[in-house]
């Protein structure tokens, strides 16, 4: 499994707008995604993480060229501060895929 994680800071006065953008994206998630989640840190309340998971690398790279991915990154840049973007590859500990 593969995932894209995007983290950033959204100030309290912009959080409602950010959450609305993300809610719209989650409701439009494509069949290519396994999971699409938006997480808010409980201690640092203006820190958010958007995680999108895929079954294969090809789908992940395709998503990274999409308007939805641009919207995620752009929302952090316009409404707050984009902290980091990274990709992860998961493998099964039991050897089963």
């Amino acid at each position: 499994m593969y995932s894209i994680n995007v983290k950033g800071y959204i100030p309290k006065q912009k959080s409602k707008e950010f959450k609305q953008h993300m809610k719209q994206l989650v409701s439009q998630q494509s069949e290519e995604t396994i999971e699409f989640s938006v997480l808010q840190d409980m201690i640092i309340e203006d820190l958010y993480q958007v995680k999108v998971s895929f079954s294969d690398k090809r789908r992940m790279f395709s998503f990274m060229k999409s308007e939805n991915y641009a919207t995620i990154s752009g929302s952090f840049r316009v409404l707050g501060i984009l902290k980091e973007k990274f990709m992860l590859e998961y493998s099964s500990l039991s050897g089963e895929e």
Side-chain angles (χ1 to χ4, degrees):
M1 183 165 69
Y2 297 84
S3 73
I4 299 169
N5 293 335
V6 182
K7 286 184 177 182
Y9 297 98
I10 303 295
K12 193 173 236 174
Q13 64 271 24
K14 301 280 185 164
S15 66
K16 182 177 180 180
E17 185 177 355
F18 177 77
K19 289 176 185 177
Q20 287 173 337
H21 282 271
M22 294 304 111
K23 184 176 181 180
Q24 183 178 12
L25 288 179
V26 169
S27 71
Q28 298 173 359
Q29 76 176 317
S30 71
E31 296 173 2
E32 294 184 333
T33 60
I34 294 173
E35 175 188 3
F36 195 130
S37 59
V38 181
L39 308 167
Q40 181 179 13
D41 192 286
M42 294 180 69
I43 297 170
I44 306 170
E45 291 182 5
D46 60 345
L47 178 62
Y48 289 84
Q49 176 177 311
V50 178
K51 179 181 178 183
V52 188
S53 299
F54 308 87
S55 60
D56 62 58
K57 194 182 289 189
R58 180 190 57 77
R59 290 179 180 190
M60 179 181 71
F61 285 124
S62 175
F63 179 80
M64 291 175 73
K65 295 175 185 174
S66 73
E67 187 176 316
N68 286 348
Y69 182 67
T71 299
I72 293 168
S73 298
S75 293
F76 278 109
R77 287 188 183 109
V78 170
L79 299 173
I81 299 169
L82 177 63
K83 181 180 176 195
E84 62 186 1
K85 297 190 286 188
F86 56 94
M87 296 176 283
L88 295 172
E89 180 178 354
Y90 302 91
S91 62
S92 173
L93 294 176
S94 67
E96 298 174 14
E97 295 288 324

